[in-house]
Amino acid sequence: MCSGSFAKCLGITLIPLAILCTLANILLFFPGGETVDKNENITEEVWYFGGLMGSGVLMIFPALVFLGLKNNDCCGCCGNESCGKRFAMFTSIIFAAVGLAGAGYSFIVSAVAIDRGPKCSTAEGYRYPFDNGDYLSNSTLWTVCKGPGDIVTWHLTLFSMLLIMGAVQAVLCAVQVINGLIGTICGDCCGCCGGNGPV
């Protein structure tokens, strides 16, 4: 498969992931599926916008660039279309690095949030009742949280989704870095598409 076509496939995959990450981050603003009276009662890591900015907005830019690579010749390069394709593939490496940084940020924020646990209503008021992920292996501790809703399940589900999708996005962007290097060195196809050489 030509490097431009492969990049387009990666872009098609990244867009729905970015949308899902954005939605997951938005849902985290409604802990347990409910609205809270005060913003400070929302888990702190939600405000870091890992899914909204990191795996969401920052991921849209590389996804759109990857989608356009197949048809982008950068107007050629001194009349040499192959040179333009190589430059486009080189540019995709930079955008892939941006996507990798965004996905990494979302992954780290999600991992910290999962380890820390949710901020929830307890007998002592709103606080973080769990320490160092102790609640992950002991679900009986979850009863400490009185609300809002089923906050621990909500928190774990959405941040786990962000963690997994961030990891997938990071892998896809890392693959595009390699693909972009190949496309930069060889051109779009390296002779693989019908033996016509770089196009």
Side-chain angles (χ1 to χ4, degrees):
M1 178 183 284
C2 299
S3 54
S5 298
F6 184 66
K8 184 176 181 179
C9 293
L10 295 177
I12 290 170
T13 306
L14 285 173
I15 286 180
L17 286 173
I19 293 170
L20 287 172
C21 287
T22 300
L23 290 174
N25 202 144
I26 291 171
L27 287 173
L28 283 164
F29 282 102
F30 303 94
E34 301 177 9
T35 56
V36 292
D37 297 331
K38 299 178 182 177
N39 287 340
E40 55 264 30
N41 293 338
I42 296 174
T43 303
E44 186 178 339
E45 287 77 17
V46 177
W47 295 100
Y48 295 163
F49 300 113
L52 195 60
M53 294 301 297
S55 286
V57 174
L58 278 180
M59 199 55 61
I60 291 295
F61 296 114
L64 293 177
V65 168
F66 301 165
L67 282 172
L69 280 177
K70 180 63 182 167
N71 301 319
N72 185 10
D73 69 354
C74 288
C75 303
C77 183
C78 300
N80 186 337
E81 183 181 353
S82 177
C83 177
K85 293 258 185 202
R86 285 185 170 97
F87 181 76
M89 292 305 292
F90 174 75
T91 305
S92 78
I93 297 172
I94 299 170
F95 280 94
V98 171
L100 191 58
Y105 174 71
S106 178
F107 182 89
I108 291 169
V109 169
S110 300
V112 170
I114 290 170
D115 182 63
R116 189 179 188 189
K119 188 174 190 178
C120 61
S121 176
T122 67
E124 292 82 28
Y126 269 89
R127 65 186 185 93
Y128 295 95
F130 308 117
D131 295 313
N132 299 321
D134 58 353
Y135 72 104
L136 294 172
S137 58
N138 187 0
S139 59
T140 57
L141 294 174
W142 297 10
T143 56
V144 172
C145 285
K146 306 301 181 187
D150 195 1
I151 181 65
V152 180
T153 303
W154 187 266
H155 177 91
L156 264 181
T157 301
L158 292 173
F159 272 116
S160 294
M161 286 174 59
L162 287 174
L163 185 81
I164 293 166
M165 289 188 288
V168 171
Q169 288 175 328
V171 169
L172 293 177
C173 287
V175 167
Q176 177 53 29
V177 169
I178 297 167
N179 182 50
L181 283 172
I182 293 170
T184 301
I185 295 167
C186 299
D188 187 29
C189 289
C190 291
C192 68
C193 297
N196 295 325
V199 290

